[in-house]
Amino acid sequence: MRVRRLAAWTALPLAVTLGLAACGSGGDGGSGGSDSSAVSIQIAEPKHLVPTNTTETSGAQVLTGLFSPLVDYDAQNKPYEVAAQSITSSDNKVWTIKLKDGFTFHNGEKVTSEDYINAWNYGAYAPNGQDSNFFFEKIAGYADLQGKAPKAKEMSGLKKVDDLTFTATLSEPYIDFKTTLGYTAFYPMPDAAFSAPGVLKDSYEQAPIGQGPFKMKGTWQHDSKIDVERYDAYPGEKPKVKNIEFRIYQQLTAAYADVLADNLDVLPTIPTESLSTAPTDLGDRYRTSPMSSFQFLAFPTFDKDYSNPDVRKAISMAIDRDEITKSVFKGSQTSARSFVSPVLPGYRENTAGKAGEFNPTEAKKLYQAAGGPSKIVISYNGDGGHKDWVDATVNQLKANLGVDAVGSAEPKFADLLTKVEKKTPVGAFRMGWVMDYPTMEDYLGPLYSTNGSSNYYGYSNPEFDKLVKEGSAAKTQDEAIAKYQQAEDLLAKDMPVIPLRFGENVFGHSSKVKNVEMDLFQRVNLVKIEAAS
Amino acid sequence: MFRYILRRLLQMVLAFFGTTLIVYALTFAGQGDPIQALAGERPVTPAQRAYLTEKYNLDQTGVGGFFYRYFDYVKDLLQGNLGESLTGRSIGDILQQAWPVTVRLALIALAVAIIFGVTAGVLAGIRRASIFDNSTLVLTLLVLGIPTIVLAPLAQYFLGVKWQLFPPTAGSDPTFYALLLPGIVLGSLSLATALRLTRASVAENLRADYVRTARSKGLVKRRIVIVHVLRNSLIPVVTFLGVELGNLMSGAIITEGVFNIPGVGFNLFRGIRTEDGPLVVGIVSVLVVVYLVSNLVVDVLYAVLDPRIRYE
């Protein structure tokens, strides 16, 4: 009996401590009070909520509510001023940015030109490790802020003129600079964000202070939600709803179940598994709209199997794009036969020409004549839901070219890129692109320039580089577009990659909201959305 | 008894360091390029690569680099600092938020397993070969055969979306009611096993000599079953449930994902998916402690259930 009692007394406190240690901190997590009037929007846990450190959609979605950009894009995707009064330049090199009067940060601070200069310098200073660092590379003096021990802390190209005006001098003329200013990285940050000049407060990210239509309500509740409410002193177009809850989901399928049960208001991406049932599940609350994503198949042009452009063209002609978009993607993507997205000014249909047409007999002839490899491998990342379309493509290549073809999955896109960079033979590989701002340059420069940041296929054509450069330095938009289009024509000739599909926003909403619109960057328009009464 | 517990506690320390070393090694051995994984599908700028390499001591390569990072990690751990995840958040904070909700979920699951599993197991054990016994056996077979990854979305769709009996997802600060459905789904697997264990054990003990003695003394059946049979039959069940508690904590990955509960499993899943080594190791270290402690509790409970078991 003694032993038993002793054991009970020992076991009990152990069990209790375990339980208490576990529950001790409970309850204080997310008891912000659930406001039933709030509109809820699905996001994933953002990586960061600092303008210069946010490059993924979820973080950008939250920041579009908290900040107001210098420019936004109209229906033709041309930039128009929002927080800026005017953005002008006579030579496309020195840009004068005049701010609208009346903008205040959510803490009451007036927005001045210095807030922009400070924020941009913070983003460009390499030791701060900001994800959007390279967005500032066109500004003069950017190079001095790079490396382990940079020479300067401020870009020489940014100069304050008065409280509401500043100039940005670029290292080279760049006609699309105004367009780029709509990107997240170019938001201002208030003095309150910094603890010392150039040092961001740790707490800023937990409750970013912006100058946009919404302000933070409480702090970022990690893995749970981010609540914002309407900022009444916002001088621009007033939002229709008072509160927005960005609810964080780890899995889209969970969010989808919540939309079906009217438990969540907006789901910006329907999960692939539910694409076929969503139109019937949601009825007219199942929606699609244009988006800027571009899926393509890239070739290691340095590999002698794929170095002949005719081989690449033949492979392109052997793929029935329409069939795949219909059977695999249920029409949620459209076939691509050009190298830039249809949403852009300057887009032309079928720039890939004959190589974009599905023509199995011609393809086989061309492939054999060009001496293509007897086995085609298509590598993809296994974590991104690419297996289905790669398998379909591989089967088409087998049937139409009479070669052996297989899909090969890498665990992650990063693993694939590492292999490609080391020139490990992976065969052809899938790539995707989503624009940062609506210019043709954003599709051409990074992807195909000799030193392009995402040129993983070793494509190098001096003529192409020259045309893109001339386009950037052009005097007028029309002239720039003409140059870019000439560059695109070179791509059609060389085919370093073959265009496959353009994406669409495929989204759904509950019956409690209306006027749900999504932009080209996969973000819900927070000003337009309304509660359905 | 005291000496036994002390010895066990010392063993736990060894076991803890052994397991964390293995987990640490495995996590970092299987890792591709953590910096690229962190940046997602975007190219990493040299500036950023330099910044992250320095921050996470990734410039120390090879075996020496591994031990350098491991000892660095253990040093922090001994000071109660779990370090930072690759996204820059303190792992301690992440766990502090994730823990309570997972514990609540696991306790509900455990309660479901005990209340329904053990009760039904006892009934089935007493009435062997009855309709009740046979039907529970078939039912448990069915439940054991359906993996959680099928069961959870099905339950969510029918009970949450279609008939709207439960909220389809629970969220971060869920009510007991919202956690009930995920708890039942999570507990159903241990329920089936607990039921079968109890049934077998009860059936066996009913044939034991002491039961016959008790019966011949004229004791009421209810008293025989509850006081004599049940206590002796619970030893294997308690062993199972003790270990299962640890399983429920970590094994909630699928359930927490499906019902959007930002608990430990949810974070572990994210850590694995984004190759966030520090986060995975941090969570697993804590789970190791949970396992060790729940095992100790189970062993000590044996003595409560069966006085013949003594520890020296």
Side-chain angles (χ1 to χ4, degrees):
Chain A
M1 191 65 199
R2 257 195 67 221
V3 178
R4 244 168 73 195
R5 195 177 290 159
L6 184 60
W9 282 116
T10 335
L12 191 68
L14 267 175
V16 169
T17 9
L18 184 68
L20 277 188
C23 302
S25 59
D28 57 358
S31 45
S34 55
D35 196 335
S36 58
S37 67
V39 165
S40 53
I41 296 173
Q42 179 270 341
I43 57 169
E45 165 87 355
K47 278 192 195 127
H48 292 285
L49 280 185
V50 173
T52 49
N53 210 4
T54 299
T55 49
E56 36 66 66
T57 331
S58 297
Q61 170 76 73
V62 176
L63 292 184
T64 49
L66 297 175
F67 290 87
S68 182
L70 285 169
V71 297
D72 206 346
Y73 311 108
D74 61 15
Q76 280 75 47
N77 287 306
K78 299 240 170 73
Y80 68 91
E81 287 80 358
V82 180
Q85 181 69 48
S86 66
I87 298 171
T88 50
S89 174
S90 53
D91 55 0
N92 291 336
K93 191 168 178 194
V94 182
W95 290 81
T96 307
I97 300 160
K98 234 175 143 54
L99 303 174
K100 270 187 195 145
D101 203 0
F103 273 86
T104 51
F105 284 106
H106 303 148
N107 62 352
E109 242 179 78
K110 210 167 148 8
V111 181
T112 67
S113 48
E114 264 169 4
D115 297 320
Y116 282 89
I117 296 176
N118 291 343
W120 296 5
N121 279 329
Y122 177 81
Y125 187 63
N128 290 333
Q130 299 292 292
D131 275 356
S132 298
N133 177 290
F134 61 92
F135 279 94
F136 303 100
E137 68 188 358
K138 297 226 160 60
I139 299 173
Y142 168 84
D144 292 342
L145 274 67
Q146 306 311 303
K148 264 196 170 162
K151 276 186 273 176
K153 283 203 89 171
E154 282 164 11
M155 288 181 282
S156 57
L158 296 179
K159 288 257 159 35
K160 178 184 171 176
V161 176
D162 59 45
D163 268 0
L164 291 175
T165 321
F166 66 107
T167 58
T169 309
L170 310 183
S171 38
E172 284 167 34
Y174 179 42
I175 184 164
D176 291 321
F177 186 66
K178 179 177 172 183
T179 311
T180 67
L181 292 178
Y183 191 73
T184 323
F186 296 99
Y187 292 143
M189 282 194 269
D191 284 341
F194 299 95
S195 55
V199 184
L200 200 70
K201 270 188 207 161
D202 277 346
S203 59
Y204 178 74
E205 183 164 29
Q206 303 311 315
I209 302 166
Q211 28 71 288
F214 291 93
K215 62 177 178 186
M216 289 291 288
K217 194 171 155 192
T219 53
W220 175 3
Q221 290 168 31
H222 289 274
D223 292 327
S224 161
K225 60 177 178 174
I226 298 168
D227 278 320
V228 299
E229 63 183 341
R230 194 160 61 200
Y231 177 56
D232 290 323
Y234 179 68
E237 189 186 347
K238 295 262 191 302
K240 313 270 187 304
V241 294
K242 193 159 188 317
N243 294 294
I244 292 181
E245 177 195 344
F246 297 102
R247 207 181 296 162
I248 297 166
Y249 285 83
Q250 174 93 311
Q251 289 184 1
L252 281 180
T253 43
Y256 183 68
D258 265 348
V259 168
L260 289 186
D262 261 3
N263 231 4
L264 168 77
D265 294 325
V266 187
L267 177 62
T269 319
I270 305 267
T272 328
E273 300 90 311
S274 313
L275 274 181
S276 48
T277 55
T280 33
D281 285 349
L282 289 165
D284 57 358
R285 293 180 285 125
Y286 169 86
R287 305 266 306 278
T288 59
S289 75
M291 200 251 278
S292 71
S293 82
F294 171 45
Q295 296 281 340
F296 55 97
L297 194 60
F299 293 97
T301 54
F302 44 82
D303 186 333
K304 71 173 185 350
D305 280 350
Y306 299 102
S307 55
N308 185 346
D310 281 348
V311 172
R312 311 194 285 254
K313 281 183 193 163
I315 292 176
S316 173
M317 285 158 76
I319 298 173
D320 187 354
R321 294 167 173 75
D322 294 339
E323 170 62 29
I324 291 177
T325 50
K326 206 166 68 202
S327 62
V328 180
F329 294 97
K330 318 284 174 207
S332 66
Q333 303 205 357
T334 51
S335 306
R337 294 183 179 88
S338 302
F339 295 86
V340 300
S341 164
V343 301
L344 289 173
Y347 163 79
R348 291 164 301 158
E349 266 179 55
N350 290 334
T351 49
K354 249 180 75 181
E357 283 163 29
F358 174 56
N359 189 344
T361 39
E362 193 85 351
K364 196 168 181 176
K365 251 190 268 166
L366 187 64
Y367 193 78
Q368 277 162 355
S374 59
K375 182 177 179 182
I376 300 173
V377 179
I378 298 182
S379 291
Y380 60 98
N381 48 315
D383 63 348
H386 297 292
K387 189 176 188 310
D388 289 347
W389 72 258
V390 170
D391 284 349
T393 311
V394 160
N395 285 332
Q396 290 184 352
L397 293 180
K398 265 192 222 165
N400 299 336
L401 291 179
V403 293
D404 191 13
V406 289
S408 153
E410 294 288 332
K412 286 190 174 36
F413 192 63
D415 301 326
L416 180 58
L417 290 189
T418 315
K419 280 197 172 175
V420 173
E421 272 175 351
K422 288 188 184 138
K423 304 211 166 153
T424 318
V426 291
F429 52 98
R430 76 141 281 261
M431 291 273 287
W433 190 252
V434 180
M435 71 182 183
D436 301 313
Y437 32 81
T439 69
M440 286 182 79
E441 194 267 348
D442 194 34
Y443 279 81
L444 301 176
L447 288 173
Y448 314 106
S449 298
T450 306
N451 296 317
S453 57
S454 291
N455 181 350
Y456 289 98
Y457 11 88
Y459 175 68
S460 174
N461 183 340
E463 180 67 21
F464 177 87
D465 293 353
K466 200 178 119 234
L467 283 168
V468 171
K469 222 168 165 183
E470 282 173 8
S472 309
K475 286 269 176 294
T476 65
Q477 282 293 347
D478 292 341
E479 198 186 318
I481 285 176
K483 291 281 182 197
Y484 291 145
Q485 287 179 340
Q486 283 176 35
E488 193 187 350
D489 290 340
L490 284 181
L491 288 182
K493 223 171 72 201
D494 294 340
M495 279 285 198
V497 310
I498 54 179
L500 292 178
R501 295 177 308 277
F502 294 122
E504 269 189 325
N505 288 313
V506 181
F507 59 105
H509 62 87
S510 74
S511 55
K512 292 194 275 188
V513 289
K514 57 182 187 189
N515 285 349
V516 184
E517 279 174 24
M518 288 193 59
D519 66 12
L520 304 169
F521 306 92
Q522 268 188 300
R523 299 182 304 212
V524 179
N525 188 329
L526 304 177
V527 175
K528 290 267 162 20
I529 192 169
E530 260 181 271
S533 41
Chain B
M1 185 77 188
F2 277 127
R3 275 175 58 199
Y4 171 76
I5 291 178
L6 195 69
R7 207 167 61 220
R8 282 291 301 267
L9 285 175
L10 285 175
Q11 280 171 4
M12 274 166 64
V13 174
L14 272 181
F16 177 75
F17 283 110
T19 39
T20 48
L21 177 65
I22 293 171
V23 171
Y24 201 84
L26 286 176
T27 312
F28 287 94
Q31 204 169 38
D33 180 352
I35 296 177
Q36 181 62 58
L38 189 64
E41 307 214 343
R42 273 179 175 279
V44 192
T45 58
Q48 210 181 353
R49 187 168 280 277
Y51 167 81
L52 291 168
T53 305
E54 193 172 314
K55 191 163 174 200
Y56 294 99
N57 291 324
L58 293 171
D59 44 351
Q60 310 272 347
T61 50
V63 180
F66 166 71
F67 279 103
Y68 179 85
R69 283 199 293 270
Y70 178 69
F71 284 120
D72 203 41
Y73 167 73
V74 169
K75 204 173 71 202
D76 282 349
L77 197 65
L78 291 179
Q79 294 162 350
N81 178 6
L82 284 165
E84 270 186 9
S85 81
L86 286 186
T87 50
R89 275 178 74 198
S90 142
I91 294 172
D93 283 353
I94 295 182
L95 277 175
Q96 208 177 30
Q97 263 179 17
W99 212 232
V101 64
T102 299
V103 168
R104 273 156 73 196
L105 183 64
L107 289 181
I108 292 177
L110 205 61
V112 167
I114 292 173
I115 296 171
F116 295 102
V118 174
T119 318
V122 171
L123 288 178
I126 296 170
R127 305 184 195 157
R128 243 175 325 147
S130 68
I131 297 177
F132 179 79
D133 184 27
N134 285 326
S135 52
T136 48
L137 278 185
V138 172
L139 268 178
T140 52
L141 202 64
L142 203 69
V143 172
L144 285 173
I146 303 177
T148 324
I149 195 140
V150 177
L151 190 64
L154 277 181
Q156 182 185 50
Y157 182 71
F158 284 105
L159 299 172
V161 175
K162 204 122 198 226
W163 301 321
Q164 313 230 339
L165 296 172
F166 294 93
T169 63
S172 64
D173 192 26
T175 55
F176 173 75
Y177 177 58
L179 275 182
L180 203 55
L181 184 60
I184 293 173
V185 167
L186 186 60
S188 64
L189 207 66
S190 7
L191 184 153
T193 318
L195 192 154
R196 293 191 147 218
L197 275 175
T198 317
R199 174 188 172 275
S201 190
V202 164
E204 192 186 302
N205 278 321
L206 275 176
R207 281 185 303 228
D209 290 345
Y210 68 87
V211 174
R212 204 171 42 211
T213 314
R215 211 177 272 148
S216 61
K217 278 199 316 186
L219 279 185
V220 199
K221 191 171 180 194
R222 173 188 306 232
R223 192 170 162 78
I224 297 175
V225 170
I226 293 178
V227 178
H228 298 273
V229 175
L230 190 58
R231 169 177 270 166
N232 282 305
S233 310
L234 277 184
I235 288 181
V237 184
V238 165
T239 315
F240 165 73
L241 289 177
V243 177
E244 194 63 10
L245 182 68
N247 266 339
L248 289 177
M249 299 260 176
S250 56
I253 292 186
I254 293 165
T255 319
E256 288 187 354
V258 169
F259 293 99
N260 198 42
I261 306 167
V264 174
F266 178 100
N267 277 296
L268 188 58
F269 177 67
R270 183 177 55 195
I272 294 169
R273 208 183 47 184
T274 57
E275 292 193 6
D276 196 333
L279 182 61
V280 173
V281 175
I283 293 178
V284 174
S285 306
V286 178
L287 286 174
V288 167
V289 175
V290 173
Y291 266 100
L292 292 172
V293 174
S294 57
N295 263 325
L296 180 60
V297 173
V298 167
D299 283 354
V300 173
L301 272 180
Y302 284 167
V304 180
L305 291 168
D306 188 345
R308 286 170 303 183
I309 298 173
R310 281 161 189 271
Y311 300 113
E312 291 310 330

